[in-house]
Amino acid sequence: MTILRPFLLALATLVTFTVATAQTPGGTLTAAWSDTPGLDPHATTAYNSFQVLQQTLDTLVELDANLEPVPALAESWSLSDDGLVWTFELRDDVTFSNGRAFTADDVVYTYERMLDPDVSGNTWRLSEVASVEADGAHTVRFTLNAPNAGFLAKLGSGAPFGIIARESVEAGTIDAQGPIGTGPFVITDFQPGTSITLERNDAYWRTDADGTPLPYLDGLQLDIIPDPSVKRSALVSGDVDWSLTVPLQSVEELEARDDVVVDATPAPSYHYIGLNTEVEPLDDVRVRRAIAEAIDREQIAEAATFGTGTATQDPIPSTSQWAIDYAPYGGDLDAARALLEEAGVADGFAIDLMATTAYPEDIRAAQVIQAQLAPLGIDVTIDTREFGDWLEQQAQGTYDTLILSWLVLLDPDDFFYAQHKSDGAFNVTGYENETLDDLLLRGRAETAFPDRYAIYEQVNREIVRDAPFIYLYNPANIQAYVPAVEGYAARADQTIRFVETWLND
Amino acid sequence: MSIRYLLRRLATLLLVLLGVSIVAFSVQPLLPGSAARVRLGVQATDEAVAALEARMGLDRPLVVQYLDWAGGMVLRGDFGDSMVTGTPIRDEIVRRVPATVGLAFAALLVGLAIALPLGILSALKPGGKRDLGASIFSQIGVSIPDFWMGILFILLFAETLGWLPSSGYAPLSAGLGAWASHLVLPALTAGLISGSIMTRFVRSAMLEVLGMDYVRTAHAKGVAARRVLTKHVLRNAAISVVTIIGLQMATLLSSIVVIEIIFAWPGLGQLALNATLQRDYPVLQASVLMAAVAFTVVNLLTDLSYVLLDPSVEVA
Amino acid sequence: MATAARDGGASTSARAPWRDALRRFARHRLAMTGAGLVALLVFTAVFGRAVAPYDPLAMDFTARFAPPSLAHPFGTDDFGRDVLSRILYGARISLQVAFIAVGLSGTAGVALGLAAGYLGGWIDELVMRFMDVLFAFPAVLLAITVMAVLGRGVGNAMIAIAIVYVPIFARVTRGAVLSVRAREYVTAARALGSRSHRVMLGHVLPNAVGPIIVQTSLSLAFAILAEAALSFFGLGTQPPDPSWGRMLSEGRGFLRQAPWMGIFPGLAIMVSVLGFNFLGDGLRDLLDPRTRRR
């Protein structure tokens, strides 16, 4: 796997620089960025927006390299015996970038706003929270509806959970300037579709091991360059120091260059085909299994990601501690034909496969799937749509099959609950399974790792066998930068952090 | 030029602008997919979408929405807020107009720098070697897709040679050098294409003038060829060229949309395309409208200057 | 109106110019080159599928990014599909899009232009103002917006391109009609009491046909480019169908690894556009009395 090598290299650098190298503070990092739909972390649900907000907001906890929660704005925490009440003790030395001290009220304000359906498109993210209360200035208490083992890690999974100050909302500047946060950088100029300028937050609360204030950088200049090949050109020609993505087909070429560092980690994400279980003949589990059996995921991953992704039959990547690696399908065309015959569609049938232009790699995968299903007599028509249109069709269930990805899933609950529970917020396939519903609820409540793992083993098996989703591959999280960029590493949770990054030139 | 003609042209202009605004507005009810859902994203629930739609006023009758929209623009210069970023569209447009206008003018200059010499040279000796060369150049220029040319230029000038930035925009406030170096590649791409088209127009305009009686007379009277060229032919051809420039704006604006995308150029075209992709219809409406208004006004100015330059044109 | 001159709102002069025109056509180098290229194109569109060495959709994962060779004269693409076969198949798609789109816009535009030019008065005003409205939108933007409304796909791409070119046809036709209408035989036919649609079809249209033919040929060239531009935005043909525009826009991501993926469809587009342009320009020389003078 070409991905592992840079990953290990990156880990090695990470270890090295914290030990030895002297960091040079100062300088502005110029980055090739993607378009950012909006800066209100509660109104937007766009991943691209959170990647920017990550630079300006902090969360109560953060995830370390093993995706374990570690302290951030919260110094410590405890869970009540019934598993329902989480109590966080907050740092008392943190100020917002406008100079005001950070307190428990801000946490309450942030999460109440996030849970307000009139403002927020993100209420579903905290559906298990019954209430958030401050107890004094530096203690905050979350009460849950039901125990949830993934709750703590969730609060640390990036900018959607970042703490904001009420001032920017009340002044009405949150859309144009972003929220006021406690994070390492402050947005000073936002030009939608063009650029975002950030300056270092001089009041930032973190220092490095030597006591040098963080961040090292004076600022970030994020240039919006939508086209991946142009991003690549900008990086190679030295117009930018760092690029959010590179075209997947260029990874090999870029790795061979010595003026570019390709930094890749396996991403906690998966690409899948969703099958509408309410249309014929996909309502028959044998037909869905036949498709799952017939496709060649290695080919799909190769064609879609040029070897940067890893073919898989179940959603959790093998690098996760929750990896299950259940692979019942063998790519046997005869077995697939037998299943179709049993289901009474031996002569095949025609279906649409809905893909969105927002993700070209899915369109590439769709073409391979189309070719692979043709020998079974399954006539696949690829239906590409604008993302907005795609979402609408998905929401209304007016599709046969669709292809997309789920990104940044950390807890096993993230991989299954919303997508497959009968009343899951994003169950768009119409799949219903009582056994599974029950397992999913137990999975949330269970806290002991081995017992919890056993539950998700069963969940995983149910889904892979019933195939409302057919999993294709786990992608890699790939960034590239010039060698002068130091102290940066692509992270397993896909957050982008420049806190300890500096420019060595 | 009579006042009456001017008034008539202005009345027509207003009528066309009304039509343009109706067409631009009608994009919103016609577009499939819900803007609210795009705003809320892949993980939004149906209830949240419906609530947002109601808050955005999308549940009102279309006529009310149109009047509200058009009224806001005309009376208060208010284009509404972007549905995606929540920021005022007017600011966005004000910010982007200089980028697009700058690029359009630079491209037009490049185009004229190509078209005038080539067109004149080839018209002086139609069928000659220079004519053939110019013709081949302009035909090839016209037949290369603009996005393709842009990508090839990025590869050559930015990546391989490293002479120019690969993409992006620097405002004049960032310094003349930065501004110009970012401008060169997109302007060259758009300019080569419009120059190729204009070469053909210039050539035929020149041919027409060269064929006119008074030029022949001048020649017959023994006026030196160079003087005939500068004094009579070029001046008269200039009238046609002004027209051509006006007409060329249509093609130019169109290819600038594509070029803005390739070069990550923050102009109106990019704004409109992004708005289409994101279903941000207030922005789409406003940017499409602005492009159309700009074109209509340029067209009017061309017509008027045509009349001013050439008194023989009948104003009917 | 000055804009009528955009793409040659010229008039024909001779009453029965056809035989004469054919003879001159055969002697006109530019026109003949164009006709030759267009013939080649049509031939490819009709017979290309029969002579294609491979199935254009057949993937071969053992032969991805193969450079041009005897087995694959134009190389293979990122799925190991044969680029030559795809271009041969794509000829029909690209040409179909161009012909149908121009056919649609020509029909609508000519009808509107005829009505406006011949009937005059408020109909003229109404039609032409509406054309002004359509014409005011930058072509690519209008096409993209129409596609956004209608959805993707070849059929809708044709409609989008057609809508963009309607105003041009309407203007060219109207301009030609106005100049023909002024002539005596039309006035005479009218005086003799012919009904207006018969006058229009019987006298005006045949005499206005020159500029329309020229415009058709030039529009075909632009339609091929427009399809490429729409495909560039992912709006044209749906994968895996190989239209040239789609191949070109897919090839741009592979300019370093496999330049042949973009070069050959690019050349195919260029050659066809050149063909239609040559033909159009040649025809203009032949049919337009102003340029014929030289």
Side-chain angles (χ1 to χ4, degrees):
Chain A
M1 207 67 289
T2 47
I3 280 313
L4 275 181
R5 192 173 52 87
F7 174 49
L8 293 175
L9 273 179
L11 272 186
T13 19
L14 199 68
V15 174
T16 329
F17 78 72
T18 44
V19 176
T21 331
Q23 299 86 352
T24 21
T28 295
L29 179 112
T30 307
W33 211 260
S34 293
D35 204 4
T36 302
L39 292 177
D40 182 334
H42 304 140
T44 187
T45 54
Y47 186 57
N48 286 343
S49 300
F50 295 131
Q51 287 174 323
V52 177
L53 293 168
Q54 186 70 48
Q55 315 313 320
T56 67
L57 304 181
D58 285 314
T59 44
L60 292 181
V61 297
E62 282 174 5
L63 303 180
D64 67 8
N66 300 319
L67 302 182
E68 291 297 325
V70 294
L73 289 178
E75 283 177 319
S76 62
W77 50 85
S78 59
L79 176 60
S80 66
D81 292 340
D82 60 3
L84 290 177
V85 182
W86 286 89
T87 308
F88 293 86
E89 298 299 330
L90 307 179
R91 296 184 71 98
D92 58 6
D93 59 348
V94 177
T95 58
F96 283 101
S97 58
N98 65 359
R100 183 173 67 73
F102 155 78
T103 67
D105 284 339
D106 296 304
V107 179
V108 175
Y109 175 79
T110 298
Y111 289 115
E112 281 182 348
R113 188 167 186 267
M114 185 171 173
L115 285 168
D116 176 359
D118 278 349
V119 183
S120 173
N122 290 287
T123 53
W124 60 276
R125 289 185 195 271
L126 284 178
S127 57
E128 66 272 43
V129 171
S131 69
V132 190
E133 291 151 346
D135 177 2
H138 300 293
T139 305
V140 73
R141 197 168 290 132
F142 290 76
T143 310
L144 309 188
N145 300 317
N148 188 329
F151 179 71
L152 187 62
K154 184 197 284 192
L155 287 187
S157 60
F161 300 92
I163 305 300
I164 67 169
R166 64 173 71 227
E167 287 91 321
S168 62
V169 179
E170 284 163 359
T173 56
I174 188 165
D175 286 320
Q177 294 164 16
I180 294 170
T182 60
F185 296 94
V186 181
I187 295 172
T188 53
D189 186 35
F190 172 45
Q191 308 216 338
T194 310
S195 66
I196 304 167
T197 310
L198 299 99
E199 278 170 22
R200 90 187 278 282
N201 173 10
D202 291 328
Y204 191 54
W205 51 279
R206 273 192 170 117
T207 57
D208 68 6
D210 305 332
T212 312
L214 290 172
Y216 297 124
L217 290 169
D218 286 340
L220 302 171
Q221 169 71 30
L222 313 179
D223 289 339
I224 310 296
I225 304 178
D227 188 302
S229 350
V230 180
K231 275 198 185 88
R232 181 199 154 281
S233 288
L235 180 69
V236 167
S237 51
D239 297 338
V240 299
D241 303 314
W242 188 94
S243 180
L244 187 63
T245 55
V246 291
L248 296 176
Q249 63 265 32
S250 303
V251 167
E252 209 177 296
E253 175 243 341
L254 290 174
E255 277 177 342
R257 304 177 70 112
D258 49 16
D259 57 352
V260 170
V261 179
V262 178
D263 190 351
T265 66
S269 307
Y270 62 81
H271 287 247
Y272 68 98
I273 325 173
L275 295 87
N276 190 337
T277 64
E278 286 166 347
V279 300
E280 284 182 7
L282 300 173
D283 54 344
D284 189 323
V285 67
R286 289 167 298 194
V287 174
R288 301 201 297 269
R289 274 183 200 148
I291 295 175
E293 177 69 37
I295 58 173
D296 179 342
R297 294 166 182 80
E298 294 289 343
Q299 263 183 13
I300 295 169
E302 175 61 31
T305 71
F306 301 93
T308 61
T310 312
T312 185
Q313 295 194 17
D314 61 3
I316 305 177
S318 51
T319 45
S320 162
Q321 59 168 331
W322 298 99
I324 295 160
D325 295 330
Y326 175 57
Y329 299 111
D332 181 348
L333 282 186
D334 289 331
R337 280 195 193 96
L339 281 165
L340 290 180
E341 198 164 332
E342 267 178 58
V345 285
D347 296 335
F349 51 90
I351 45 170
D352 283 349
L353 174 55
M354 186 169 73
T356 167
T357 41
Y359 299 101
E361 56 183 293
D362 290 336
I363 296 181
R364 304 170 49 72
Q367 294 183 60
V368 182
I369 293 163
Q370 183 183 45
Q372 288 174 349
L373 294 182
L376 293 182
I378 303 178
D379 180 12
V380 178
T381 305
I382 299 170
D383 177 18
T384 58
R385 290 168 183 273
E386 310 291 0
F387 199 28
D389 195 8
W390 189 100
L391 290 172
E392 190 71 23
Q393 305 303 323
Q394 171 187 260
Q396 294 179 355
T398 44
Y399 69 91
D400 297 333
T401 63
L402 49 78
I403 183 164
L404 198 73
S405 51
W406 274 84
L407 304 177
V408 198
L409 309 160
L410 303 172
D411 190 75
D413 182 70
D414 299 341
F415 285 84
F416 301 106
Y417 191 94
Q419 297 92 326
H420 300 300
K421 192 157 179 295
S422 301
D423 58 354
F426 308 110
N427 181 341
V428 293
T429 59
Y431 175 71
E432 285 186 24
N433 178 339
E434 276 179 34
T435 320
L436 183 83
D437 291 353
D438 188 48
L439 283 168
L440 285 170
L441 286 177
R442 282 174 48 208
R444 277 196 165 180
E446 182 59 63
T447 46
F449 180 83
D451 298 334
R452 204 164 179 241
Y453 184 85
I455 291 171
Y456 284 106
E457 251 185 322
Q458 289 181 62
V459 168
N460 188 60
R461 196 175 308 132
E462 289 286 325
I463 294 294
V464 172
R465 274 195 194 153
D466 282 357
F469 276 16
I470 296 174
Y471 301 100
L472 304 174
Y473 59 89
N474 300 117
N477 175 27
I478 302 174
Q479 280 121 27
Y481 39 87
V482 298
V485 174
E486 302 226 35
Y488 178 84
R491 292 173 49 92
D493 63 1
Q494 279 181 283
T495 58
I496 290 160
R497 299 185 189 188
F498 294 114
V499 183
E500 294 179 68
T501 301
W502 81 98
L503 293 169
N504 184 16
D505 46 22
Chain B
M1 181 169 29
S2 67
I3 298 285
R4 232 186 112 214
Y5 173 75
L6 239 180
L7 286 178
R8 223 186 71 123
R9 284 290 320 198
L10 277 177
T12 317
L13 179 84
L14 288 179
L15 202 68
V16 170
L17 290 183
L18 179 71
V20 161
S21 76
I22 292 174
V23 171
F25 175 79
S26 64
V27 159
Q28 177 237 307
L30 289 175
L31 274 181
S34 153
R37 187 174 296 282
V38 179
R39 161 115 214 218
L40 294 174
V42 61
Q43 294 155 333
T45 58
D46 290 344
E47 296 76 40
V49 172
L52 184 59
E53 272 178 349
R55 252 182 303 134
M56 295 191 301
L58 296 175
D59 50 355
R60 296 172 300 164
L62 285 178
V63 179
V64 177
Q65 290 186 47
Y66 171 77
L67 290 177
D68 189 28
W69 175 70
M73 269 184 320
V74 175
L75 301 176
R76 299 185 302 274
D78 174 14
F79 291 84
D81 292 342
S82 157
M83 232 145 33
V84 173
T85 60
T87 49
I89 298 170
R90 182 182 43 196
D91 299 357
E92 192 67 35
I93 286 181
V94 167
R95 193 163 63 75
R96 282 168 183 268
V97 161
T100 296
V101 170
L103 177 55
F105 269 104
L108 196 63
L109 284 182
V110 173
L112 285 176
I114 293 166
L116 287 178
L118 279 186
I120 292 172
L121 277 180
S122 57
L124 286 180
K125 236 190 196 174
K129 272 188 189 149
R130 281 176 181 157
D131 188 20
L132 187 69
S135 165
I136 289 175
F137 172 84
S138 77
Q139 290 285 6
I140 289 179
V142 176
S143 55
I144 298 179
D146 31 22
F147 64 88
W148 186 236
M149 199 187 284
I151 290 163
L152 293 180
F153 279 176
I154 293 179
L155 269 185
L156 178 64
F157 291 110
E159 205 184 306
T160 309
L161 298 174
W163 291 351
L164 295 161
S166 52
S167 66
Y169 171 71
L172 260 177
S173 56
L176 196 64
W179 175 76
S181 66
H182 283 88
L183 184 61
V184 173
L185 283 186
L188 201 61
T189 313
L192 269 176
I193 292 163
S194 74
S196 303
I197 300 173
M198 284 194 290
T199 303
R200 292 151 73 183
F201 283 112
V202 172
R203 177 179 177 274
S204 61
M206 284 288 296
L207 279 178
E208 204 164 313
V209 178
L210 282 170
M212 282 179 182
D213 290 341
Y214 64 91
V215 178
R216 292 186 187 168
T217 317
H219 271 297
K221 282 200 313 203
V223 182
R226 183 174 293 272
R227 271 200 69 201
V228 177
L229 182 68
T230 51
K231 193 160 177 207
H232 297 284
V233 180
L234 288 184
R235 185 181 296 172
N236 278 286
I239 296 166
S240 316
V241 169
V242 169
T243 319
I244 291 163
I245 292 173
L247 299 174
Q248 191 45 40
M249 287 308 284
T251 327
L252 193 61
L253 283 178
S254 186
S255 77
I256 278 180
V257 174
V258 178
I259 284 159
E260 285 186 354
I261 307 291
I262 294 285
F263 288 97
W265 190 262
L268 288 176
Q270 193 201 46
L271 182 69
L273 186 83
N274 285 344
T276 317
L277 297 181
Q278 298 174 336
R279 289 284 183 280
D280 191 350
Y281 37 78
V283 174
L284 178 63
Q285 289 166 332
S287 51
V288 163
L289 185 71
M290 286 308 292
V293 169
F295 174 73
T296 314
V297 172
V298 168
N299 217 8
L300 175 75
L301 293 179
T302 325
D303 276 11
L304 294 183
S305 62
Y306 193 60
V307 174
L308 282 177
L309 280 171
D310 186 355
S312 73
V313 171
E314 200 180 310
V315 277
Chain C
M1 181 147 186
T3 34
R6 187 184 196 220
D7 263 320
S11 60
T12 48
S13 60
R15 287 190 106 182
W18 297 112
R19 182 163 304 178
D20 185 34
L22 263 182
R23 202 172 310 128
R24 276 186 283 122
F25 185 86
R27 269 185 272 134
H28 196 284
R29 257 189 310 177
L30 193 63
M32 281 308 282
T33 315
L37 288 175
V38 170
L40 177 74
L41 194 64
V42 172
F43 182 84
T44 314
V46 176
F47 298 106
R49 297 185 180 206
V51 299
Y54 296 88
D55 174 352
L57 303 185
M59 298 183 177
D60 179 358
F61 279 80
T62 59
R64 299 164 73 211
F65 302 119
S69 66
L70 276 180
H72 299 285
F74 289 0
T76 64
D77 69 4
D78 48 327
F79 295 101
R81 299 177 298 204
D82 182 56
V83 173
L84 173 62
S85 303
R86 287 175 70 74
I87 286 183
L88 290 173
Y89 266 71
R92 190 180 298 180
I93 299 174
S94 291
L95 218 57
Q96 236 169 17
V97 172
F99 272 116
I100 295 178
V102 172
L104 285 175
S105 71
T107 311
V110 168
L112 289 169
L114 268 182
Y118 188 78
L119 299 173
W122 67 271
I123 295 184
D124 184 20
E125 195 66 20
L126 188 76
V127 169
M128 294 323 287
R129 289 303 77 76
F130 183 59
M131 293 298 107
D132 288 349
V133 168
L134 277 189
F135 198 68
F137 297 96
V140 169
L141 214 50
L142 182 59
I144 289 171
T145 312
V146 172
M147 292 297 290
V149 169
L150 296 178
R152 285 147 203 285
V154 198
N156 292 337
M158 294 176 195
I159 296 175
I161 297 171
I163 290 179
V164 169
Y165 290 106
V166 166
I168 300 176
F169 273 104
R171 284 182 178 179
V172 168
T173 311
R174 177 176 174 273
V177 169
L178 283 183
S179 69
V180 175
R181 201 181 75 162
R183 268 183 239 139
E184 285 161 33
Y185 56 93
V186 178
T187 328
R190 260 185 166 172
L192 287 173
S194 299
R195 301 247 311 270
S196 58
H197 69 269
R198 285 195 45 205
V199 177
M200 210 141 76
L201 290 177
H203 298 280
V204 176
L205 186 57
N207 282 285
V209 94
I212 296 171
I213 290 180
V214 172
Q215 186 55 47
T216 303
S217 189
L218 296 176
S219 298
L220 284 169
F222 279 112
I224 288 178
L225 287 174
E227 192 273 334
L230 285 180
S231 292
F232 170 72
F233 294 118
L235 298 168
T237 45
Q238 298 284 291
D241 285 345
S243 87
W244 293 343
R246 185 171 184 86
M247 292 177 71
L248 183 57
S249 97
E250 283 172 355
R252 83 201 165 99
F254 300 92
L255 276 177
R256 317 210 113 239
Q257 293 101 313
W260 51 87
M261 278 177 65
I263 286 174
F264 290 109
L267 282 176
I269 290 177
M270 255 184 70
V271 169
S272 342
V273 173
L274 276 179
F276 284 116
N277 270 336
F278 280 167
L279 187 63
D281 283 357
L283 286 173
R284 178 171 9 217
D285 280 358
L286 293 169
L287 296 172
D288 183 338
R290 284 183 306 174
T291 50
R292 205 197 305 158
R293 189 161 36 200
R294 66 180 169 83

